Amino acid sequence: MERASPDGNAKKWWKEAVVYQIYPRSFKDSNGDGVGDLKGITSKLDYVKSLGVDVVWLNPVFTSPNDDNGYDISDYRGIMREFGTMQDFDALLQGMHDRGLKLVMDLVVNHSSDEHEWFQQSRRSRDNPYRNYYHWWPAEKGKPHPRRSFFDVNGDAWKLDGPTNSYYLHYFSQKQPDLNWENPRLREEIFSMMRFWFDKGVDGFRMDVIPFISKDTTFPEMPAEYKEDWGRFYANGPHVHQYLREMNEAVLSKYDVMTVAEGAGVTAADALDYVDAGRRELNMLYHFEGVSLGYLPDSLKVPDPKGYKLVEFKEIYSKWDGVFATRGWGSIYLGNHDQPRMATRWGNDTPQWRDLSAKMLTTFLLTMRATPYYYAGDELCMTNIKFDNIEDYRDIESINWYQQVKNKGGDLQAFLEAQKISARDNGRTPFQWDQTAKAGFTTGTPWLEVNPNYTTINAAAQDGGPDSCLNYFRKLVTLRKANPVLIYGEYVLLDKENPTVYAYTRELAGRKMLVLLNFKDTTAAVNTGFDLSKAKVIFGNYPTPSPAGKLQPYEAVIYEL
Ligand code: TEU
Ligand code: CA
């Protein structure tokens, strides 16, 4: 694939932005039904504005039966009943724009809900006009070559459907049939829907598993090399870049909007094919290599008992910085609605070290050369809820994987122990507003249990505290946005083999900053090669920074060199 001209230094508003991700189901419930909603978010926009962030990424709010909490859409132009009405949406968008906040929505078009009218038509007859909106395989041809499903209890991505005696493809749940992007009529439906939202003033889309949308419709046997990594086989299909360029030409290029690909299955070698500006496809991409670190291979996200190696963590994030050093642009995250809380997963969520380690991680996210995607609640240093029973879970991933383990006679206790660290519901517990009942999230029964530690970890308790997680985040956002060196500056990793400290510099136009992050609960030495006695400390998570070259447990410090 030819590469376009370098564009790494082209300044763009979305490169300078800090993105704040809101999971609408769990942010704020305005009507006491225990489910977050749009009016709830609108009521909290002053709080969102107070963070200093620029863009809100809102997880799907479209009409959905919620088999996968909105990632199964049955009407792309409707608002989910539990979340409110289109008027509520318009008020939310206006409220954001009035405050100078941009709104990025979630484009879920690799698949729809099976309750979408398109699928209901498509499954009626083999000659239905909507038949080719999905991927069907006539059963008389025998079962197609296996495809793995992320959520199916049997891991099978083909489901036999009675009415037309055919299999349909679903990479995710049976209620999430894959859309057939090889059909130009389907592509035009999607482009028209995108225009509908952009014409309302939406400022961009996060694109759900967009690398998966193009399939070889002969469905050949999956090569054995992908047996453990079939997500990589699903990505980069035969026409994915043609379709994204078509999307850009037909829609994206007509608006001043930002786009970010959820880069499932995308490696460092093929990332630029999506985001090199000259290719006129998408703006940014987020990878999974970092968040997959420290899980046992070919497991259901079972954490390695030995933990993750910081040297590998540094290698991954340094490699990905290098991918976008002169072309395209990166994004960086540790938390989102698919991930556990970063304080638990990557820091230390014991009371003694929780805040320090979470602030250290926040320092990492806000001083790297990439647009930070920061997950609501992490600014409070929220932690995993660590459910004991499968009945406490609501996520189809946890529930179906539990059933999968049970059907295979596997160790359910071990599965539940692993889920305490890696389950997605850990990141979906209700936002902790204050110490009133249910953390001020709802006056009703929350759809998912509130973390009992809300009595001490909540926004109200932190709002005024100068040293709180919340104000640490606010101040660091301000620092990043006031210093282009932290946005566009060259990144250089230092002390590469240090097993406990992550050290790097950022340099731009004669300014040089040094970031030191101690990832462990012990003091640590770091060899940066710089004489820090003359350097100026401009930020840190300890009241007094440690003497040069030494770092206190979980210490983060930023020097101006
Ligand atoms: O996630 C895609 C995806 O790959 C995730 O399923 C991830 O691999 C898994 O959760 C890790 O355990 C997107 C959405 O972010 C996710 O919420 C949806 O469930 C999924 O697509 C289907 O739309
Ligand atoms: Ca509600």
Side-chain angles (χ1 to χ4, degrees):
M1 198 70 75
E2 85 292 340
R3 292 272 186 248
S5 61
D7 68 299
N9 298 325
K11 299 207 178 319
K12 297 282 183 187
W13 60 265
W14 40 266
K15 293 182 179 179
E16 301 169 14
V18 175
V19 179
Y20 185 70
Q21 180 195 350
I22 291 177
Y23 194 64
R25 204 171 181 80
S26 302
F27 196 63
K28 176 66 180 165
D29 169 23
S30 71
N31 63 352
D33 66 356
V35 178
D37 46 53
L38 300 183
K39 279 184 174 166
I41 300 171
T42 301
S43 75
K44 293 295 184 180
L45 285 180
D46 287 337
Y47 169 80
V48 175
K49 183 63 184 175
S50 79
L51 301 175
V53 300
D54 312 277
V55 179
V56 170
W57 159 27
L58 192 59
N59 290 97
V61 296
F62 312 102
T63 311
S64 165
N66 286 303
D67 190 56
D68 182 18
N69 285 358
Y71 281 92
D72 48 314
I73 295 167
S74 52
D75 178 359
Y76 286 96
R77 300 179 194 223
I79 297 298
M80 189 191 298
R81 184 181 45 74
E82 295 87 333
F83 287 164
T85 64
M86 186 59 84
Q87 288 66 38
D88 296 333
F89 173 81
D90 292 340
L92 173 62
L93 180 60
Q94 190 57 57
M96 287 184 176
H97 285 171
D98 289 349
R99 293 169 175 81
L101 294 166
K102 290 181 182 287
L103 174 62
V104 165
M105 295 180 85
D106 215 314
L107 189 76
V108 187
V109 293
N110 172 71
H111 47 272
S112 75
S113 166
D114 65 342
E115 296 182 27
H116 195 292
E117 178 58 18
W118 295 340
F119 189 75
Q120 290 306 309
Q121 291 281 343
S122 181
R123 67 190 294 251
R124 263 196 207 136
S125 66
R126 294 189 179 186
D127 59 359
N128 184 288
Y130 289 91
R131 184 66 174 183
N132 290 331
Y133 275 42
Y134 296 87
H135 291 290
W136 292 98
W137 186 276
E140 61 271 21
K141 285 173 63 180
K143 189 157 187 199
H145 284 302
R147 290 290 182 272
R148 292 285 296 275
S149 158
F150 284 92
F151 297 151
D152 185 73
V153 170
N154 304 312
D156 185 351
W158 290 108
K159 181 168 187 330
L160 182 61
D161 195 52
T164 59
N165 190 32
S166 302
Y167 294 93
Y168 70 84
L169 180 71
H170 60 91
Y171 280 171
F172 292 92
S173 84
Q174 291 183 6
K175 286 182 66 62
Q176 294 172 287
D178 280 56
L179 287 163
N180 177 6
W181 274 73
E182 315 316 313
N183 179 350
R185 272 189 60 205
L186 182 275
R187 300 202 296 271
E188 193 38 53
E189 294 268 16
I190 301 299
F191 298 165
S192 164
M193 175 269 287
M194 293 173 72
R195 289 187 198 96
F196 170 82
W197 291 103
F198 284 145
D199 290 342
K200 288 177 77 71
V202 167
D203 303 292
F205 277 116
R206 173 266 189 186
M207 299 195 183
D208 192 63
V209 290
I210 201 75
F212 289 3
I213 57 173
S214 173
K215 277 89 172 171
D216 173 346
T217 51
T218 65
F219 292 103
E221 184 158 8
M222 197 189 306
E225 71 190 273
Y226 293 101
K227 189 171 174 305
E228 313 311 339
D229 186 10
W230 31 282
R232 197 158 56 81
F233 179 74
Y234 289 168
N236 314 325
H239 306 293
V240 67
H241 296 294
Q242 174 200 326
Y243 300 154
L244 290 178
R245 202 162 297 140
E246 219 177 277
M247 179 192 287
N248 189 302
E249 178 57 35
V251 186
L252 301 174
S253 58
K254 315 285 190 227
Y255 302 88
D256 179 17
V257 292
M258 70 174 253
T259 53
V260 53
E262 182 199 25
V266 173
T267 66
D270 33 48
L272 278 176
D273 292 342
Y274 290 86
V275 297
D276 185 331
R279 290 170 55 84
R280 296 183 309 288
E281 292 186 24
L282 305 178
N283 299 136
M284 291 175 268
L285 172 140
Y286 69 79
H287 65 81
F288 280 73
E289 198 172 344
V291 292
S292 309
L293 182 64
Y295 288 147
L296 294 178
D298 197 27
S299 73
L300 295 175
K301 297 193 295 187
V302 177
D304 185 328
K306 298 190 296 301
Y308 69 93
K309 292 187 177 63
L310 182 66
V311 170
E312 292 177 12
F313 183 96
K314 297 192 285 188
E315 276 167 7
I316 290 170
Y317 287 99
S318 301
K319 174 177 73 173
W320 279 92
D321 173 83
V323 169
F324 304 115
T326 60
R327 292 188 177 93
W329 187 253
S331 64
I332 193 153
Y333 72 101
L334 289 175
N336 66 29
H337 66 292
D338 289 334
Q339 299 301 325
R341 285 287 172 190
M342 68 176 188
T344 300
R345 174 84 164 87
W346 303 106
N348 180 330
D349 63 3
T350 60
Q352 180 185 7
W353 300 117
R354 181 193 63 234
D355 289 5
L356 274 171
S357 68
K359 288 173 178 176
M360 182 274 293
L361 296 170
T362 292
T363 311
F364 166 64
L365 292 173
L366 292 173
T367 58
M368 288 292 277
R369 174 169 49 184
T371 296
Y373 285 71
Y374 201 88
Y375 188 50
D378 283 343
E379 77 273 25
L380 306 179
C381 302
M382 280 176 65
T383 62
N384 277 16
I385 191 166
K386 302 179 182 174
F387 288 132
D388 289 314
N389 308 302
I390 191 61
E391 293 75 19
D392 296 324
Y393 284 97
R394 296 292 175 273
D395 181 11
I396 187 168
E397 180 178 274
S398 296
I399 293 165
N400 282 8
W401 286 6
Y402 180 88
Q403 197 53 50
Q404 205 176 97
V405 173
K406 188 173 183 179
N407 293 349
K408 291 177 180 170
D411 183 341
L412 291 171
Q413 213 37 54
F415 173 78
L416 288 171
E417 276 313 299
Q419 287 280 291
K420 287 181 179 180
I421 301 301
S422 62
R424 305 194 300 180
D425 273 343
N426 284 298
R428 299 178 178 184
T429 59
F431 193 91
Q432 295 168 197
W433 290 104
D434 56 43
Q435 62 180 15
T436 64
K438 304 302 177 191
F441 163 71
T442 179
T443 56
T445 305
W447 73 278
L448 181 68
E449 258 316 302
V450 175
N451 194 320
N453 65 19
Y454 77 89
T455 51
T456 52
I457 302 174
N458 63 72
Q462 297 185 25
D463 193 38
D467 299 328
S468 65
C469 293
L470 174 53
N471 283 312
Y472 189 87
F473 176 74
R474 284 169 167 153
K475 285 183 265 188
L476 196 45
V477 167
T478 304
L479 183 77
R480 175 181 176 88
K481 292 173 65 178
N483 291 280
V485 59
L486 291 177
I487 298 173
Y488 291 111
E490 184 192 7
Y491 162 93
V492 176
L493 175 65
L494 305 173
D495 203 358
K496 186 163 170 267
E497 297 308 323
N498 192 316
T500 56
V501 177
Y502 193 164
Y504 51 91
T505 54
R506 302 294 313 280
E507 184 169 10
L508 180 75
R511 293 195 67 198
K512 192 166 197 168
M513 291 197 180
L514 169 68
V515 181
L516 302 180
L517 308 170
N518 182 359
F519 271 68
K520 299 293 177 205
D521 59 355
T522 53
T523 55
V526 61
N527 172 19
T528 64
F530 293 105
D531 171 6
L532 297 184
S533 60
K534 300 185 181 60
K536 177 170 167 261
V537 174
I538 60 169
F539 206 81
N541 63 353
Y542 273 79
T544 46
S546 44
K550 275 262 177 279
L551 289 172
Q552 298 162 90
Y554 296 113
E555 183 169 12
V557 57
I558 305 175
Y559 289 91
E560 173 100 39
L561 293 176

